Amino acid sequence: MVDIVGRMGWKYISILYEESNYGIKAFEELEDLLATKNICIAIKEKLVKDSGVAGEHAYDSIVAKLLTKPRARGAIIFGSDQEVAGVMRAVRRANATENFSWIGSDGWSARNLVSDGNEVEVEGTLSVQPQANPVRGFEEYFLSLTVENNKRNPWFAEFWEAHFQCHYPNSSRTPYNQNFPGTCTGQETLTKENMAFEGQLQFVSDAVMAFAHALRDMHRDVCHGRHGLCDAMKPTKGTELLRYLRKVEFEGLSGDNFRFDPQGDGPARYNIIHFKQVSQGVFRWVRVGEYWEGELRLNMSEIQFKLGHPQPPESVCSLECELGQAKKYLEGESCCWHCFNCTQYQIRHPTDETQCQLCPQGTVPDQRHTKCEPIPEEYLRADSGWAIGAMAFSATGIVVTALVAGVFLRHHDTPVVRASGRELSYILLLGIFLCYAMTFVLVLKPSDIVCGLQRFGAGFSFTVVYAALLTKTNRISRIFNAGKRTAKRPSFISPRSQLIICSGLTGFQVLINAVWMVVSPPSAVHHYPTRDDNLLVCSSSVNASYMISFSYPIVLIVICTLYAVLTRKIPEAFNESKYIGFTMYTTCVIWLAFVPIYFSTANNIAIRITSMSVTISMSATVTVACLFTPKLYIILVRPERNVRQSMMPVRYSAVRGPRHQSISGPTGVTSSVVGAGNLLGVLPPNHGMESGSHSDAGHSTNAANNHSSTSKQLTTRGTQTLNCVNNAEKHVTINNTTHTMGNGPHRADRTTPRWCVALNVGLK
């Protein structure tokens, strides 16, 4: 019966059971079995055993209670036909015919007492009947019985009277036979036509046979074959007999094998019968399935609860919640609940239907809120427009850097290149190349290795650039500061010294990165700035620890900018510091603009990576444009200026002598003190100096007449230049003739110009 309820899909039913051992035991068993199937009992009511005692109002009260739970449309009735008939009449009186569907026990199934006159109320009932086969020979035996040959049955005479509606001679008067009109003659006979046999006779015979086999087996073991009861069986112990009874197995009189199951029950074999309206107004009990030793076989196509309505009625307290909803049970009810929706990022808990579960980070509920699905990884892909634009910009920068390097290599020994400080220039170009190359590392899919390259390369490339620039600006400042105090050559201004200083500055950044990677190894992680994001990024970009990599280059930038400010008043020919200063100012502006963009685009990985790569590339571009464009202009466009004389300041370029001869200052002397890349830094001691060309006499004379004061100043400054050069322990060329001039260091005095002191310092 519980399996039938489950097959109907009912979760909320009522139970009516008769007030007898049969009904009470059945209810207790039903209650336990229904609980295992999570089926709730809405109403449970007892039926009075004897319908003659209970009035109709008792059944009306029961039906009224059933109607208080209108959603419990399914009901199990465990009772006899008389009580169930009273219930059906009460249902008709309450006009509740359409409200209930019944599951009946074998005590009233297929009983005319219930269905006759109550067809509409009983319609749709599913009931169980023990499956029994005829007992062989019993029908012939019973039909041969008469009152005369069946004296051992004291009730047979009453059966005879009731069957033939007559009073048997010499029988006692009873309330049942006193109204019979005739007297039985004894010639009446039982026939198949006037006799209907009970279909459950097999169970009676099986019960008797089971006891017979149990007593036989017990007698064999206890009495050891003695006839009659032995003393060991006087009295027979029930527990011992039960042990033998559980083990019996035999073929019954019906031909079926009989045995008890481990629970002590006989074979569970039932027919499932259904009371249906086969046509308009015609009702019939039909077989629709069977229950065979634990397996329910039900032909659902034959089941019809109402004419034209094959689907079973719904019998649940609350409808199942929709997908993505959880249950809130009503107080005191285990089958009644309200449904509530889980929130946007929740699903119903997989094991607890009363709770919603928040999806883990990186996942969101599917459309039905039944499971959490991972959010697709988001990272800057190399084929995206942002990445292509950044790589195109960087690739252009790499090409330009390569061209600049090629020009410098081709004109390696020309004055402009030598004046630029070749070694530091090449290091600077290497750093610029690394800055451009960082873009291609930044657009790679993050992994532990890629994150390590990004962490190291971002800061290292900047360090190479600004370490070279800092070395240049520091050298300029030291040379000019030394020129104010002494003519002694400052220490560590040779190319080799500059390379060592630059390498040391760069090595400190390598040390910082090494310590950082040991303390916090680089790794690719999933970052969830919002519930809808799943960004695959390097761990350094999550907590802004990239600033560790940039902190040291920032210090170098600040110091370079400071030196650029301090050396801004150097004479024009020494003005590489002006370009370095402009580079630093522009770089600071670029990075001040980048910082807010970077931190405000934490949710947009494409813009964030692109802005970083473009900022790095723009810094490199500014460096190329400001520091190398003026030199490329001279080398490629104005090659006539790529000579030593053009390196001298204009006002120091000629000294008018008595024979109108002029002597040029050493090529690039003044410029050499400007930075690590100027001519003075590449001219070795005893480097030759070319003489200036003869001045045009007529032109000089006119200029002297018109600007006598200026001529005097030039003459004085020319004399100072000549004296300065004469005191420099150098080989210089005057009028295409090489001379050795001076034997010792030039000592500065109050009349010695500062540039001359710087010249001597640089030359020494």
Side-chain angles (χ1 to χ4, degrees), residues 624-679:
V624 171
C626 293
L627 295 184
F628 290 95
T629 300
K631 300 176 179 59
L632 293 177
Y633 175 77
I634 293 175
I635 294 173
L636 301 177
V637 180
R638 301 292 298 274
E640 69 277 4
R641 293 181 56 185
N642 194 4
V643 293
R644 292 191 181 93
Q645 288 86 342
S646 66
M647 299 295 104
M648 280 295 295
V650 175
R651 65 173 181 259
Y652 306 146
S653 63
V655 178
R656 188 177 302 277
R659 296 174 58 185
H660 305 290
Q661 291 180 338
S662 64
I663 178 170
S664 318
T667 302
V669 167
T670 308
S671 303
S672 66
V673 299
V674 174
N678 274 344
L679 182 58

Side-chain angles (χ1 to χ4, degrees), residues 16-28 30 78-79:
L16 305 179
Y17 60 98
E18 70 175 30
E19 194 175 17
S20 67
N21 186 62
Y22 169 73
I24 293 173
K25 292 294 184 183
F27 169 73
E28 292 174 353
L30 275 174
F78 240 104

Side-chain angles (χ1 to χ4, degrees), residues 438-581:
M438 275 305 300
T439 296
F440 298 94
V441 178
L442 289 171
V443 300
L444 292 176
K445 180 179 179 180
S447 65
D448 292 351
I449 296 176
V450 171
C451 290
L453 291 175
Q454 290 181 4
R455 181 188 288 187
F456 179 84
F460 181 77
S461 58
F462 276 117
T463 300
V464 172
V465 172
Y466 298 113
L469 289 178
L470 178 58
T471 305
K472 276 176 174 276
T473 55
N474 173 264
R475 181 170 182 263
I476 295 171
S477 178
R478 287 191 296 115
I479 289 176
F480 269 88
N481 288 336
K484 296 178 182 179
R485 300 187 301 271
T486 178
K488 183 179 179 181
R489 178 188 181 95
S491 303
F492 308 115
I493 63 172
S494 66
R496 180 178 180 183
S497 299
Q498 300 302 295
L499 290 177
I500 293 174
I501 294 173
C502 184
S503 299
L505 293 174
T506 306
F508 189 70
Q509 174 70 13
V510 175
L511 178 62
I512 292 175
N513 281 329
V515 174
W516 183 20
M517 290 189 180
V518 171
V519 174
S520 176
S523 61
V525 298
H526 289 95
H527 178 48
Y528 316 109
T530 68
R531 284 290 315 180
D532 295 315
D533 291 323
N534 181 17
L535 308 183
L536 180 62
V537 297
C538 294
S539 57
S540 301
S541 64
V542 175
N543 52 17
S545 59
Y546 267 133
M547 295 308 298
I548 297 175
S549 180
F550 288 129
S551 58
Y552 181 64
I554 290 174
V555 172
L556 296 181
I557 291 174
V558 171
I559 298 175
C560 281
T561 305
L562 181 61
Y563 273 123
V565 172
L566 294 176
T567 57
R568 68 187 183 279
K569 295 184 178 180
I570 294 175
E572 291 181 3
F574 302 89
N575 66 353
E576 191 176 15
S577 61
K578 179 176 69 176
Y579 299 123
I580 294 176

Side-chain angles (χ1 to χ4, degrees), residues 288-334:
V288 293
E290 65 177 0
Y291 186 85
W292 185 265
E293 297 186 359
E295 182 183 359
L296 176 65
R297 302 166 185 168
L298 204 58
N299 185 1
M300 294 297 294
S301 63
E302 289 291 328
I303 296 176
Q304 172 187 280
F305 287 88
K306 297 295 178 183
L307 184 63
H309 295 83
Q311 293 299 322
E314 195 174 67
S315 186
V316 293
C317 181
S318 300
L319 296 176
E320 283 297 322
C321 294
E322 297 180 0
L323 296 175
Q325 292 183 330
K327 298 178 180 178
K328 182 179 181 180
Y329 284 93
L330 301 180
E331 186 175 355
E333 295 283 356
S334 59

Side-chain angles (χ1 to χ4, degrees), residues 131-412:
Q131 193 177 86
N133 292 318
V135 176
R136 291 174 295 191
F138 179 79
E139 186 175 326
E140 292 77 7
Y141 163 74
F142 192 84
L143 293 177
S144 66
L145 293 177
T146 65
V147 177
E148 297 301 324
N149 63 15
N150 192 19
K151 296 291 185 179
R152 65 178 184 143
N153 188 342
W155 300 283
F156 195 75
E158 291 187 23
F159 160 75
W160 196 272
E161 290 175 334
H163 185 70
F164 291 107
Q165 297 290 302
C166 62
H167 176 68
Y168 201 81
N170 300 324
S171 65
S172 301
R173 287 286 180 178
T174 66
Y176 301 102
N177 65 8
Q178 61 184 356
N179 296 324
F180 292 153
T183 301
C184 298
T185 63
Q187 300 302 313
E188 297 88 3
T189 58
L190 299 173
T191 63
K192 293 182 179 180
E193 287 74 18
N194 64 19
M195 186 65 195
F197 289 94
E198 175 66 52
Q200 313 302 322
L201 292 178
Q202 176 186 353
F203 300 106
V204 178
S205 65
D206 285 343
V208 174
M209 292 290 290
F211 270 93
H213 279 273
L215 288 170
R216 184 197 65 184
D217 296 340
M218 184 178 181
H219 184 271
R220 182 183 64 241
D221 295 341
V222 173
C223 298
H224 306 292
R226 291 177 56 188
H227 294 286
L229 290 179
C230 60
D231 293 338
M233 293 185 67
K234 295 179 181 179
T236 302
K237 297 178 180 179
T239 54
E240 287 295 316
L241 180 60
L242 179 61
R243 185 167 61 86
Y244 284 96
L245 192 61
R246 287 181 178 276
K247 295 188 294 184
V248 298
E249 186 172 354
F250 58 89
E251 182 179 328
L253 299 178
S254 62
D256 294 328
N257 291 324
F258 181 90
R259 68 180 182 278
F260 290 104
D261 63 18
Q263 287 73 39
D265 296 321
R269 301 165 186 167
Y270 293 91
N271 288 323
I272 310 301
I273 58 176
H274 179 46
F275 192 71
K276 63 185 292 188
Q277 190 174 181
V278 293
S279 60
Q280 189 67 39
V282 179
F283 297 87
R284 186 178 302 157
W285 286 98
V286 295
R287 183 177 181 273
V288 293
E290 65 177 0
Y291 186 85
W292 185 265
E293 297 186 359
E295 182 183 359
L296 176 65
R297 302 166 185 168
L298 204 58
N299 185 1
M300 294 297 294
S301 63
E302 289 291 328
I303 296 176
Q304 172 187 280
F305 287 88
K306 297 295 178 183
L307 184 63
H309 295 83
Q311 293 299 322
E314 195 174 67
S315 186
V316 293
C317 181
S318 300
L319 296 176
E320 283 297 322
C321 294
E322 297 180 0
L323 296 175
Q325 292 183 330
K327 298 178 180 178
K328 182 179 181 180
Y329 284 93
L330 301 180
E331 186 175 355
E333 295 283 356
S334 59
C335 289
C336 303
W337 57 79
H338 294 307
C339 298
F340 64 92
N341 293 321
C342 295
T343 60
Q344 180 180 0
Y345 299 108
Q346 290 181 331
I347 62 171
R348 190 165 75 178
H349 197 283
T351 58
D352 186 355
E353 59 187 8
T354 65
Q355 293 184 12
C356 292
Q357 183 182 52
L358 186 67
C359 285
Q361 290 278 13
T363 63
V364 292
D366 61 357
Q367 291 184 346
R368 300 185 298 175
H369 282 254
T370 57
K371 61 180 180 179
C372 297
E373 295 182 336
I375 302 172
E377 289 181 339
E378 182 181 349
Y379 57 90
L380 183 61
R381 302 180 185 275
D383 57 354
S384 68
W386 294 99
I388 292 174
M391 289 189 293
F393 184 32
S394 297
T396 303
I398 290 175
V399 172
V400 171
T401 304
L403 292 176
V404 172
V407 170
F408 266 56
L409 288 172
R410 182 176 180 82
H411 301 83
H412 182 72

